[in-house]
Amino acid sequence: PWETYKADISIDVEKHHKPVKFMDKFAYWTVQALKIPTHMFFQRKHMCHAMLLETVAAVPGMVGGMLLHCQSPRRFEQSGGWIKALLEEAENERMHLMTFIELAKPQWYERAIVFAVQGVFFNAYFLTYLASPKVAHRITGYLEEEAVRSYTEFLKDLDNGSFENVPAPAIAIDYWRLPAESTLRDVVEVIRADEAHHR
């Protein structure tokens, strides 16, 4: 069993946080650098790209929530709702990944890539969050902006017939409370909205 979630697809998916301060620029260019090998490797292989994106996207909420959870009793302070919000975000990203695993049926080597990327990114993000939570959150914002762009490209390829618009898996229909006849396009649209909210 899993919790259900209602996506708000009315959000502006074009919004961009312009990097002005040095730390914003550092976060932005870090994400841009990470994007280059990913795009070279996956190109238009949307399912594999989505699995990698969601593997990485599931980390920030968990790391932030975990560190704030440890910090709260240590400092005898409330979190202001941040722990719950970050852990809910991590769960939402995990459901994105579970959905794409259901759709893509990854091979062993694709699962190995997911495992390796998550291990490297988790530790790098953990250290970044310890050094500067603000930079870590800004990196997450720019990662989510890239996810929104990636899913927009996915939707374009679904619309122009370059990618088959298969029926939505049961896990997605149940989680997002989608109509029974929903398709992959509907799933990608709600996932893109989720990413825009996380941004």
Side-chain angles (χ1 to χ4, degrees):
W2 46 73
E3 303 255 343
T4 60
Y5 177 84
K6 187 71 176 168
D8 175 12
I9 57 172
S10 66
I11 190 166
D12 177 11
V13 295
E14 301 293 326
K15 193 172 179 183
H16 168 65
H17 179 85
K18 190 174 179 181
V20 177
K21 297 179 181 176
F22 171 76
M23 289 304 194
D24 286 355
K25 290 179 181 178
F26 173 79
Y28 177 77
W29 288 110
T30 298
V31 171
Q32 293 307 303
L34 291 172
K35 175 173 98 169
I36 294 167
T38 305
H39 282 277
M40 285 174 58
F41 185 76
F42 291 111
Q43 294 172 4
R44 308 291 292 178
K45 296 176 188 168
H46 294 297
M47 289 293 192
C48 294
H49 191 191
M51 281 195 311
L52 186 69
L53 268 175
E54 299 307 339
T55 298
V56 168
V59 169
M62 184 56 65
V63 169
M66 175 186 69
L67 288 173
L68 287 175
H69 173 77
C70 293
Q71 178 182 310
S72 179
R74 195 172 63 240
R75 292 186 177 177
F76 304 101
E77 292 175 348
Q78 295 292 336
S79 74
W82 262 106
I83 296 169
K84 188 173 188 303
L86 290 171
L87 293 179
E88 283 176 354
E89 183 178 310
E91 172 65 8
N92 180 251
E93 296 287 5
R94 187 183 71 82
M95 290 304 291
H96 295 178
L97 179 59
M98 293 297 104
T99 299
F100 282 116
I101 285 173
E102 189 74 23
L103 285 161
K105 308 286 189 222
Q107 301 294 318
W108 68 268
Y109 60 87
E110 292 169 321
R111 289 176 180 266
I113 290 170
V114 165
F115 184 78
V117 168
Q118 189 180 77
V120 171
F121 186 74
F122 181 93
N123 289 293
Y125 193 82
F126 178 82
L127 293 173
T128 302
Y129 206 101
L130 287 176
S132 173
K134 284 185 178 183
V135 171
H137 282 287
R138 183 55 60 216
I139 286 171
T140 303
Y142 287 126
L143 279 171
E144 300 295 6
E145 282 187 11
E146 288 304 321
V148 168
R149 284 191 197 100
S150 176
Y151 288 125
T152 299
E153 291 301 310
F154 198 164
L155 288 170
K156 285 178 186 171
D157 280 356
L158 283 165
D159 289 342
N160 68 26
S162 301
F163 206 89
E164 187 183 358
N165 191 18
V166 298
I171 189 172
I173 289 170
D174 291 346
Y175 179 68
W176 282 282
R177 296 183 269 177
L178 297 170
E181 67 279 3
S182 295
T183 63
L184 175 58
R185 192 192 191 290
D186 300 312
V187 173
V188 173
E189 191 172 31
V190 293
I191 289 176
R192 181 179 68 169
D194 288 350
E195 304 295 13
H197 283 285
H198 298 164
R199 174 201 61 210

